[in-house]
Amino acid sequence: MGSLTLKDVCKSFGQVEVLHNISLEVEEGEFIIFVGPSGCGKSTLLRIIAGLEDATSGDVMIAGKRVNALPPSRRGIAMVFQTYALYPHLTVKKNMSLGLKQAGESRAVIEERVDKAAQMLELAPYLDRRPAELSGGQRQRVAIGRAVVREPELFLFDEPLSNLDAALRVNTRIEIAELHRRLGTTIVYVTHDQVEAMTLADRIVVLQDGHVEQVGSPMELYNDPDNIFVAGFIGSPAMNFLDAALLGEPDSVATIGLRPEAITLGDDGPIRGTISHLEHLGADTNIYVHVGDKLVTVRAFGQADFAVGAEVGLNFAPEAVYRFDKGGRRIR
């Protein structure tokens, strides 16, 4: 129940191939996030799982059944969209219950499921309101509630937080995490925001140009990236990349990577640069240092104070250095 298997899924639009042999096993109850830059194919892949797009080749299996030929309504999925997709003339209760009504569920079942979801999502006081009378966060909760009442095998989320402001994104992120813990249902979630991916996922699938670059837990991807793309995409502030010649690395190493928090500044260091800007964030400070034509980010914990224009040395432990070859592959 609730597992997902993708076998060699490809998708082309005309002569343009946008997904290349995607294979993935998602266990029942997992929270999986597809992440990557715009145009990487993550939303197309989600739509293929939902049945909103047909794969050019390959198989989609949900709960052990091949669903390639099944319409969305028969796949045991429920989808939450970026745009909420609520009916403006219907109340919250009617928006949440419409799918069940169309599926022919009894009034008693509809009442029970809607009441349960409304309590879970703290929507009970708003059941008689229309979407225009709700905040953005409340509307997104209604959209989630509409999915919850269907009791699907698989939840699909397509960038559900992108229309919310920063504070609401944090709150709704917590609500989605708590919802997953309560329901234990499998979730496949798409976002371009690596912070969302890091804070929500059991495992992250990193995509680029229709290829899976790496699959792993958030900390696996952060600590042990396979290539320069994953290393630079996962982590905020992003990893710094410098010419390996600065450290006298062998010819097989083209680029070195350093996490901002792995660097400390001092009078001396193996790499030298000039401070160009500081961001005082309260709990920590981001310090930007020009090293030749590269801008290096240093994350100092606490309220660090440096002078703009000062020359400094960059220090780091030898084990903090990530090494990449000319093709961008990690050298371990």
Side-chain angles (χ1 to χ4, degrees):
M1 296 291 286
S3 63
L4 169 69
T5 300
L6 304 177
K7 293 184 177 179
D8 298 319
V9 172
C10 298
K11 178 63 178 178
S12 298
F13 294 102
Q15 298 299 311
V16 180
E17 191 172 0
V18 296
L19 292 175
H20 309 268
N21 296 100
I22 305 291
S23 293
L24 180 69
E25 293 279 351
V26 179
E27 296 180 5
E28 181 182 354
E30 266 198 295
F31 197 135
I32 294 289
I33 292 189
F34 298 161
V35 71
S38 296
C40 71
K42 56 188 183 295
S43 290
T44 300
L45 184 56
L46 193 76
R47 289 173 64 82
I48 288 172
I49 296 167
L52 300 173
E53 296 273 2
D54 292 326
T56 304
S57 61
D59 290 324
V60 178
M61 302 181 72
I62 296 174
K65 299 176 183 177
R66 186 175 182 271
V67 298
N68 292 41
L70 295 182
S73 61
R74 295 181 56 200
R75 292 194 177 199
I77 59 105
M79 194 161 182
V80 179
F81 296 92
Q82 174 183 345
T83 55
Y84 317 141
L86 302 177
Y87 291 99
H89 62 290
L90 297 182
T91 63
V92 168
K93 185 173 185 176
K94 289 181 177 178
N95 264 289
M96 290 173 63
S97 63
L98 184 61
L100 295 178
K101 186 176 180 181
Q102 291 172 335
E105 292 287 356
S106 69
R107 180 176 294 181
V109 168
I110 292 172
E111 289 286 337
E112 179 187 351
R113 291 192 191 177
V114 169
D115 287 347
K116 183 179 177 181
Q119 293 295 330
M120 186 184 302
L121 295 165
E122 298 182 358
L123 289 170
Y126 310 107
L127 287 175
D128 294 324
R129 295 190 187 182
R130 288 177 171 78
E133 301 172 275
L134 304 176
S135 69
Q138 289 165 342
R139 274 177 268 179
Q140 188 56 278
R141 274 188 275 155
V142 175
I144 294 170
R146 182 179 54 195
V148 168
V149 299
R150 297 185 60 184
E151 297 185 352
E153 306 253 8
L154 189 64
F155 280 105
L156 306 178
F157 286 79
D158 189 9
E159 304 213 38
L161 309 187
S162 58
N163 285 337
L164 304 180
D165 63 33
L168 275 176
R169 278 201 301 273
V170 173
N171 291 339
T172 310
R173 201 163 67 212
I174 293 169
E175 289 168 357
I176 291 172
E178 290 176 344
L179 179 70
H180 178 246
R181 282 192 287 270
R182 287 195 205 106
L183 297 178
T185 309
T186 310
I187 293 178
V188 179
Y189 185 112
V190 162
T191 182
H192 64 275
D193 186 338
Q194 59 94 15
V195 174
E196 277 180 44
M198 292 287 286
T199 54
L200 283 173
D202 294 322
R203 286 191 299 154
I204 299 171
V205 180
V206 183
L207 292 120
Q208 181 184 211
D209 297 332
H211 295 274
V212 173
E213 294 288 344
Q214 191 172 351
V215 180
S217 71
M219 288 301 99
E220 285 172 347
L221 298 186
Y222 187 83
N223 293 321
D224 195 19
D226 283 345
N227 56 54
I228 204 166
F229 176 79
V230 175
F233 196 85
I234 299 295
S236 181
M239 182 182 286
N240 300 292
F241 299 108
L242 294 166
D243 189 328
L246 285 170
L247 290 183
E249 294 282 344
D251 290 343
S252 59
V253 182
T255 304
I256 59 168
L258 289 165
R259 294 281 183 200
E261 65 272 20
I263 304 171
T264 58
L265 300 181
D267 294 331
D268 298 307
I271 298 173
R272 297 195 61 78
T274 303
I275 294 174
S276 64
H277 183 63
L278 288 87
E279 291 178 340
H280 295 285
L281 303 175
D284 49 33
T285 307
N286 289 335
I287 306 158
Y288 296 93
V289 182
H290 271 295
V291 176
D293 60 353
K294 298 281 189 179
L295 190 62
V296 173
T297 305
V298 178
R299 183 183 183 191
F301 295 96
Q303 300 179 19
D305 194 17
F306 291 88
V308 172
E311 290 191 10
V312 290
L314 280 66
N315 295 281
F316 40 86
E319 60 270 21
V321 178
Y322 291 78
R323 295 170 175 85
F324 304 92
D325 64 20
K326 292 179 175 62
R329 303 301 300 177
R330 174 90 177 279
I331 300 172
R332 291 179 168 88

